[in-house]
Amino acid sequence: MTDSAEEKSPPQGALSLLQPLRQPTFRNLIVADVVSDIGTFMQSVGAAWLMVSLHAGPIYVALTQTASSLPYFLFAIPAGSAGDILDRRKLVLATETWMTFIALLLAVLTLGGFMSPWILLALTFALSAGDAFETPTWRAILPELVSKDDLAAASALNGIEFNLARAVGPALAGLVIAAAGVAAAFVVNFLSFFGVIFVVAKWKRPVRKQTSPPETFSGATVAAIRYVRHSPAILTVVVRTGAVMFFSSALFALLPTVARSVNESAIGYGVLLGCFGTGAIAGAFIMQVARARWSDEIIVSAGVGILGLVIILMAGLHQLNTLAPVMLVGGAAWVVFISLINALLQNLAPDWVRARVLAIFILVYQGSFALGSAVWGGVAQRAGIGIALVAAGIGTIATIGMVLFARLPSSTADLTPWNHWRMPVVVKEDEGELQEGPVLVTVTYSVNPDRKSEFVGAMQELGRIRRRDGAYRWGIYHDTEDAHKYLEIFLVRSWAEHERQHERQTKADREIELRLQSYLTGDTLVHHLIYAHSKES
């Protein structure tokens, strides 16, 4: 017990791993979440098996995975914005209620014998739509339930909970389906939502005071896209994840068909998914040992390579007893990849935009998953499952080559807010115009003649930060009458957005500003200008 806890959270001891469970809301929620996730995995197994039982082709089976993944692609960005703007407790309750209703409808239609492939796809999509809208908010509430010191342990417990459900849910689904039919699995999923709804309904979420003006829905969405666009490190993580997900989606999309070819009972499919989940739990601990010896880049690349080999081996193995251990290895490789990528991304995004960055990550992750599932299902339909799996496995391994031009970034940056700018005094008669915008900010620099080229290079880095944090236009200009003078300008949509811009700089940005200061021969001069709107009607 002690060794496992230390591996999951290296800086803390065994007791630290259990520390978050002392918080009643977190403890109750994680227990309810285990039940809910087991029900979700049972529903996924039931949907895939029902599609096969309806005598639909491989393309329909693969589209079941697409229907589960596509909502994350469609709703990720608005869901992330909603999670940062709306009351998170009420949002979770609304989405849980929606999913409960869809789960009930799915069970009733199956029990009544009214199910068809297209109805199953539609209801699977509707169920995932609720989860897609909830996911960014669900991840964002964790810091509200436990203290900052307990976040790492809480995240580890969440990972163990999810993979425990991944191991138990599919196996339990196989037994339930074999004994009572697919509808019984759907009924269990319907009942599994009530624990989460009860715990969240009882949660007394404290009211948080905002120090800056609240963001609008559209403004928050634009800010998220802008932040990711001007963050090269985050873009690297997102693009590499998308590439791996496109090819590796074949494992999940075609596994139901592979399972049926080796064992006509639903138990076989449940066993294979259970092995995958069990391997994922083991992989979480193996990952901690590996990180003590190798870099994240090496570990992620190794995990992706092993995952690709597992997909290729699936094409040639036709016995349940040989596929099962391969699924164990696949689960371990999968969790190594996805856990490190998730941890890296969360360390690269500051608090104010983390939910939205995660939402964009989910968009790419699930969008690639949905597209890949459809593509590999189509290839299997036309060329055979074996060819589809081999091609997808080779493609998965080939993504390792992206390290040559998109190496994973370091996650050591200090993202603590660094609000060092002085807010200017605004005269009373200008207060009304502040709400209309835009705002022009100018900064005058006096530069050492011998350091001009270095100054301009550093200013390009600062310009990326300005755009990332709120500026929609930026530029650096040289004074033709004074060779030492440079003028930086940037435009912000509103005064409220400029106030938020003050809070968005982090201590990691301090290095660039300190470097710029070393190139100067005097103080900087800052001016804030408000657009002069006409008073005429």
Side-chain angles (χ1 to χ4, degrees):
M1 176 64 179
T2 302
D3 291 341
S4 298
E6 289 176 351
E7 288 175 1
K8 290 297 290 183
S9 185
Q12 304 175 357
L15 294 178
S16 299
L17 183 63
L18 303 179
Q19 183 76 16
L21 296 178
R22 296 184 179 183
Q23 300 296 327
T25 302
F26 177 80
R27 180 177 65 246
N28 295 337
L29 194 58
I30 202 168
V31 171
D33 207 26
V34 171
V35 176
S36 182
D37 281 346
I38 288 174
T40 298
F41 279 111
M42 291 181 68
Q43 187 276 333
S44 298
V45 172
W49 195 255
L50 179 58
M51 189 66 80
V52 173
S53 302
L54 291 172
H55 303 293
I59 183 64
Y60 282 97
V61 178
L63 282 175
T64 303
Q65 185 63 58
T66 301
S68 297
S69 304
L70 188 59
Y72 293 89
F73 178 78
L74 297 176
F75 305 129
I77 292 180
S81 298
D84 283 337
I85 296 175
L86 303 178
D87 184 291
R88 289 172 177 166
R89 173 180 169 274
K90 292 180 179 178
L91 185 58
V92 169
L93 283 174
T95 52
E96 287 287 324
T97 302
W98 165 263
M99 289 187 287
T100 303
F101 170 74
I102 298 299
L104 176 61
L105 185 60
L106 190 62
V108 169
L109 291 179
T110 304
L111 282 169
F114 301 109
M115 192 59 67
S116 70
W118 285 110
I119 293 176
L120 179 58
L121 288 175
L123 292 177
T124 300
F125 178 91
L127 193 60
S128 288
D131 194 33
F133 216 84
E134 179 186 79
T135 297
T137 301
W138 188 266
R139 296 185 183 185
I141 65 174
L142 185 60
E144 300 183 30
L145 299 177
V146 299
S147 68
K148 183 177 180 180
D149 293 338
D150 290 336
L151 272 176
S155 297
L157 289 170
N158 271 339
I160 291 173
E161 170 271 311
F162 181 80
N163 284 296
L164 177 63
R166 187 200 294 271
V168 173
L172 183 59
L175 294 173
V176 170
I177 293 171
V182 173
F186 293 160
V187 170
V188 173
N189 183 45
F190 162 69
L191 296 174
S192 72
F193 287 105
F194 287 96
V196 174
I197 292 175
F198 178 75
V199 174
V200 175
K202 287 186 61 179
W203 175 34
K204 304 298 182 182
R205 183 172 183 253
V207 178
R208 296 182 177 273
K209 295 182 179 180
Q210 291 185 318
T211 58
S212 60
E215 295 180 85
T216 63
F217 195 89
S218 60
T221 302
V222 170
I225 297 172
R226 181 182 60 227
Y227 190 91
V228 173
R229 177 188 174 190
H230 294 291
S231 301
I234 292 176
L235 276 176
T236 296
V237 175
V238 170
V239 170
R240 286 194 54 178
T241 301
V244 173
M245 292 307 303
F246 173 79
F247 291 104
S248 64
S249 61
L251 186 154
F252 303 95
L254 299 177
L255 185 59
T257 306
V258 172
R260 191 172 180 87
S261 69
V262 299
N263 190 315
E264 293 188 357
S265 169
I267 295 177
Y269 180 44
V271 166
L272 291 178
L273 281 181
C275 288
F276 190 90
T278 302
I281 295 174
F285 294 103
I286 294 171
M287 177 183 65
Q288 296 298 338
V289 177
R291 293 187 73 186
R293 301 185 59 181
W294 298 295
S295 68
D296 286 355
E297 179 65 70
I298 292 176
I299 300 170
V300 166
S301 296
V304 170
I306 294 171
L307 188 62
L309 289 174
V310 166
I311 296 172
I312 293 173
L313 286 173
M314 287 173 60
L317 299 177
H318 306 291
Q319 298 291 330
L320 185 62
N321 59 353
T322 54
L323 268 174
V326 169
M327 286 297 103
L328 282 169
V329 176
W334 172 258
V335 83
V336 165
F337 164 72
I338 205 63
S339 296
L340 287 181
I341 287 292
N342 270 291
L344 180 59
L345 191 69
Q346 293 197 37
N347 285 328
L348 290 171
D351 289 339
W352 70 270
V353 76
R354 183 169 293 138
R356 284 168 277 181
V357 168
L358 287 170
I360 292 176
F361 172 77
I362 292 169
L363 182 151
V364 175
Y365 174 101
Q366 294 290 357
S368 299
F369 208 85
L371 178 62
S373 296
V375 168
W376 299 117
V379 173
Q381 183 89 357
R382 292 178 174 270
I385 293 176
I387 291 177
L389 288 170
V390 170
I394 293 173
T396 301
I397 296 172
T399 63
I400 298 174
M402 296 180 71
V403 69
L404 298 176
F405 56 88
R407 179 174 289 273
L408 293 177
S410 169
S411 62
T412 58
D414 186 354
L415 299 180
T416 304
W418 186 48
N419 188 1
H420 65 293
W421 292 354
R422 180 185 63 82
M423 285 298 295
V425 176
V426 181
V427 295
K428 187 174 182 180
E429 50 265 33
D430 286 337
E431 290 179 352
E433 295 183 348
L434 291 179
Q435 308 304 319
E436 300 181 44
V439 177
L440 171 66
V441 182
T442 69
V443 187
T444 304
Y445 301 91
S446 181
V447 182
N448 185 330
D450 298 328
R451 311 297 295 273
K452 288 182 180 179
S453 61
E454 296 167 278
F455 169 80
V456 173
M459 284 302 299
Q460 296 301 320
E461 295 183 56
L462 182 63
R464 177 182 55 78
I465 293 173
R466 303 280 203 224
R467 289 189 292 263
R468 181 199 69 189
D469 290 346
Y472 68 88
R473 185 173 298 174
W474 177 90
I476 181 72
Y477 299 88
H478 182 210
D479 191 332
T480 59
E481 297 182 2
D482 187 340
H484 298 170
K485 296 295 183 183
Y486 283 80
L487 181 70
E488 176 195 12
I489 68 165
F490 57 93
L491 283 162
V492 187
R493 296 289 180 190
S494 66
W495 189 259
E497 184 70 4
H498 183 56
E499 288 185 285
R500 289 189 285 266
Q501 195 177 23
H502 276 243
E503 298 181 351
R504 290 171 179 172
Q505 277 205 312
T506 65
K507 290 183 178 179
D509 303 326
R510 178 169 49 184
E511 178 185 347
I512 294 175
E513 293 207 17
L514 292 177
R515 182 151 41 100
L516 281 169
Q517 290 297 322
S518 69
Y519 304 145
L520 305 181
T521 58
D523 294 335
T524 58
L525 184 62
V526 183
H527 285 97
H528 296 77
L529 296 91
I530 307 166
Y531 185 78
H533 292 275
S534 173
K535 302 300 183 181
E536 298 179 1
S537 57

